[in-house]
């Protein structure tokens, strides 16, 4: 299993300069991919802008939206931005769970599933040259069905290894039920806060996931805070069939990337 790292693009206080430094260090380190979350109604650096900055600062590492809230944008804008980033991009898309992002974009929240379905049908006709690998995120049956019919793999939203295993099994079942051969690429995600920064990181996660109510504390408590916790989660995900685990920072300081590299390298 490969290990990637997220950009701190949605962590308040992050700057483009930090993202560029983060990307350069990740490119020189043991990581397979630089991933990026997507938010609009939040103090964040826009997903494609962050990935473009990372692309300019790197040469080797893959880049991935994990995941882009596709219905907030036109399909043509997605295709154009993806091709600016270049051939190291993996395009992960989903509908997003937060209504405020849709309000900020002036997009309809309730038809977002239908809109994503339409976009997945439109994208193949918009690529100039090779199409990027396409992943779909989400936990419901409609998301898994879209993935199996129209994409190359699945992005899981995080949690313990047993949660990933359950989602991965359902993704594989949907894949084969739709007559696909081979297997989908299975990508997991998680959060980390190392070097004594767990209180700061968990406070960020409680605020970022406030919309889910009291469950936000459980998400925050799941942040990885030590080498042993990282090793345990990575081992469980690998055993569950994960192809790549991408760990996202919760604290916007470059030291966090260095600590993560030490923990996995």
């Amino acid at each position: 299993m490969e290990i990637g790292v997220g950009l701190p693009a949605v962590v308040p206080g992050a700057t483009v300069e930090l993202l560029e430094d983060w990307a350069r260090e990740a490119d020189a380190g043991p990581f397979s991919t630089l991933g990026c979350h997507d938010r609009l109604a939040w103090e964040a650096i826009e997903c494609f802008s962050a990935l473009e900055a990372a692309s300019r600062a790197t040469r080797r590492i893959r880049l991935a939206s994990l995941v882009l809230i596709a219905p907030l944008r036109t399909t043509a804008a997605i295709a154009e931005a993806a091709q600016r980033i270049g051939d190291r991009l993996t395009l992960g898309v989903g509908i997003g769970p937060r209504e405020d992002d849709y309000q900020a974009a002036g997009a309809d929240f309730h038809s977002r599933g239908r809109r994503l379905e339409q976009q997945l049908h439109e994208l193949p006709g918009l690529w100039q040259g090779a199409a990027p690998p396409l992943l779909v995120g989400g936990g419901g049956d409609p998301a898994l069905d879209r993935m199996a019919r129209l994409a190359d793999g699945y992005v899981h939203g995080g949690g313990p290894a047993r949660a990933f295993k359950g989602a991965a099994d359902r993704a594989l079942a949907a894949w084969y039920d739709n007559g696909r051969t081979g297997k989908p690429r299975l990508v997991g995600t998680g959060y980390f806060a190392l070097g004594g920064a767990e209180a700061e990181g968990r406070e960020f996660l409680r605020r970022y996931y406030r919309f889910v109510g009291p469950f936000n504390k459980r998400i925050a408590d799941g942040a990885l805070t030590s080498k042993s916790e990282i090793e345990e989660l990575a081992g469980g995900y690998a055993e569950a069939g994960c192809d790549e685990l991408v760990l996202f920072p919760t604290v916007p300081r470059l030291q966090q990337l260095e600590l993560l590299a030490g923990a996995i390298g």
Side-chain angles (χ1 to χ4, degrees):
M1 185 183 71
E2 296 176 302
I3 302 284
V5 64
L7 290 161
V10 302
V11 184
T15 63
V16 173
E17 291 74 21
L18 172 63
L19 295 191
E20 291 171 341
D21 290 342
W22 188 283
R24 277 189 287 269
E25 289 216 11
D27 198 42
F31 305 106
S32 53
T33 290
L34 272 168
C36 194
H37 285 335
D38 187 27
R39 286 298 311 278
L40 195 58
W42 183 258
E43 182 185 337
I45 299 168
E46 192 271 335
C47 181
F48 276 139
S49 297
L51 290 171
E52 284 189 57
S55 177
R56 292 191 298 268
T58 59
R59 295 291 180 268
R60 170 198 66 83
I61 198 166
R62 296 194 302 266
L63 308 163
S65 57
L66 298 174
V67 293
L68 186 82
I69 309 171
L72 301 183
R73 301 162 174 85
T74 68
T75 315
I78 293 171
E80 290 168 7
Q83 300 209 254
R84 285 197 306 271
I85 293 167
D87 60 8
R88 286 183 284 138
L89 176 69
T90 293
L91 182 62
V93 297
I95 60 173
R98 297 171 174 87
E99 191 166 2
D100 58 352
D101 286 324
Y102 282 82
Q103 292 170 343
D108 182 54
F109 180 73
H110 300 289
S111 64
R112 66 199 194 280
R114 293 192 300 275
R115 177 62 183 145
L116 178 59
E117 177 91 11
Q118 180 183 6
Q119 291 177 306
L120 290 169
H121 283 285
E122 292 170 346
L123 278 170
L126 296 176
W127 301 124
Q128 297 178 7
L134 184 62
L135 310 178
V136 171
D141 290 338
L144 294 171
D145 182 63
R146 289 185 200 108
M147 179 279 301
R149 288 184 291 108
L150 299 167
D152 304 303
Y154 173 66
V155 184
H156 184 244
R162 64 181 180 276
F164 175 83
K165 177 67 163 59
D169 287 346
R170 291 170 57 225
L172 289 168
W175 184 268
Y176 297 126
D177 285 348
N178 276 278
R180 300 288 297 269
T181 58
K183 67 181 292 289
R185 182 166 181 81
L186 300 174
V187 177
T189 59
Y191 289 105
F192 69 94
L194 299 170
E198 56 265 27
E200 182 179 354
R202 285 174 173 156
E203 174 57 25
F204 158 71
L205 289 172
R206 283 191 291 270
R207 289 189 291 115
Y208 191 69
Y209 287 100
R210 184 174 294 156
F211 76 104
V212 302
F215 189 74
N216 68 339
K217 183 179 184 299
R218 185 171 174 182
I219 295 171
D221 289 346
L224 305 170
T225 62
S226 67
K227 178 181 174 66
S228 62
E229 289 179 358
I230 291 168
E231 289 174 341
E232 181 180 359
L233 187 78
Y237 269 60
E239 186 176 343
C242 185
D243 295 302
E244 183 174 36
L245 175 62
V246 182
L247 300 176
F248 280 82
T250 58
V251 175
R253 290 191 290 276
L254 197 59
Q255 182 196 33
Q256 290 292 302
L257 178 65
E258 296 162 356
L259 290 168
L260 181 63
I264 71 166

